[in-house]
Amino acid sequence: FERLWALAKGHDAVAEKYGCTKRTWHTEQGSRADGAGYVALELSEPECAVNLVQSYLSATGAGVEKFFWFSAQTTARYGYAVFYENYTPRPRLVALNGLARLLKDRRVTGRTTLGNGKVACILLDGKAGPAAALWNLGDTVTVRLPKGTDATFTDMLYNPVKPQAGDEQIELQLGRPLYVLAGKPGAGRLANALKRAKVTPRFPVDVTA
């Protein structure tokens, strides 16, 4: 989230200096993980799925027009693909399908942070209605939206998530993106609710060693 933003801003500065008008595509990013046991793991399969979703949202939130994940190969002992052999889906492909459902009839419109930089936030809007993707940039945190916010929540696989205690409080952990889907038109209303959200650590304890 932070590194891709810095990279995009550096690119924009060079492009502006030399009058470049070409649009930006991010053409190759991947993570190596192999839950089939062919090679030693560098990441777990769930971590790789999280990286795919975070990377796509971070890049498009920084103004990148197109994003390509590397890759779709199915060769044994190859940890970068979205498939195992014989086109068996890996968890990262399931996560990509969830992301595609979020993006259907929506486009990324901006980025921000919540809770003084504790939570990454990507804003979306379109015919399907306003939405946001949230994930923690550090420790596990809870996010409480203002009471009465008209929104539903899904995990990054697009499975429904019920807020805790029957209100607008959700927990973000392990960097897994969570999607906030607004129930009414108006991206400004959702953006304002997110701006007023309260972000607190799961264990609000300070320790001095």
Side-chain angles (χ1 to χ4, degrees):
F1 183 74
E2 294 166 342
R3 290 194 301 270
L4 279 169
W5 177 253
L7 182 63
K9 294 303 100 181
H11 168 273
D12 291 348
V14 173
E16 183 178 358
K17 179 178 179 180
Y18 294 102
C20 176
T21 58
K22 292 183 182 295
R23 294 166 295 185
T24 307
W25 290 11
H26 190 68
T27 57
E28 188 174 303
Q29 180 159 335
S31 291
R32 183 175 176 84
D34 181 19
Y38 292 121
V39 295
L41 293 178
E42 295 187 12
L43 291 175
S44 69
E45 288 287 4
E47 286 171 337
C48 194
V50 166
N51 189 25
L52 187 158
V53 176
Q54 280 193 12
S55 299
Y56 180 94
L57 291 169
S58 296
T60 52
V64 172
E65 185 185 61
K66 294 184 184 294
F67 178 95
F68 297 80
W69 183 260
F70 185 84
S71 69
Q73 295 187 40
T74 63
T75 309
R77 294 178 290 280
Y78 186 78
Y80 290 96
V82 295
F83 294 102
Y84 291 120
E85 287 187 279
N86 303 320
Y87 290 98
T88 302
R90 295 185 184 213
R92 70 198 78 166
L93 183 59
V94 181
L96 183 61
N97 288 336
L99 179 61
R101 294 182 67 181
L102 172 72
L103 294 169
K104 183 175 174 59
D105 293 326
R106 292 188 182 96
R107 60 183 178 83
V108 173
T109 58
R111 72 187 290 282
T112 187
T113 58
L114 311 180
N116 294 321
K118 293 183 178 67
V119 174
C121 176
I122 298 294
L123 300 169
L124 306 97
D125 198 13
K127 290 190 297 183
L134 309 177
W135 66 92
N136 55 312
L137 294 172
D139 296 332
T140 298
V141 297
T142 59
V143 178
R144 185 187 295 275
L145 298 178
K147 195 168 184 61
T149 300
D150 185 16
T152 57
F153 307 94
T154 77
D155 62 18
M156 72 174 189
L157 306 182
Y158 223 72
N159 298 314
V161 173
K162 188 176 180 180
Q164 297 174 1
D167 58 14
E168 293 80 6
Q169 179 173 301
I170 51 179
E171 184 176 281
L172 303 178
Q173 57 183 333
L174 303 176
R176 296 176 67 90
L178 184 140
Y179 304 146
V180 183
L181 313 176
K184 295 180 180 179
R189 187 180 294 111
L190 176 60
N192 185 54
L194 291 166
K195 190 179 299 183
R196 294 186 292 123
K198 294 182 178 179
V199 178
T200 56
R202 184 179 184 186
F203 302 110
V205 177
D206 291 329
V207 177
T208 301

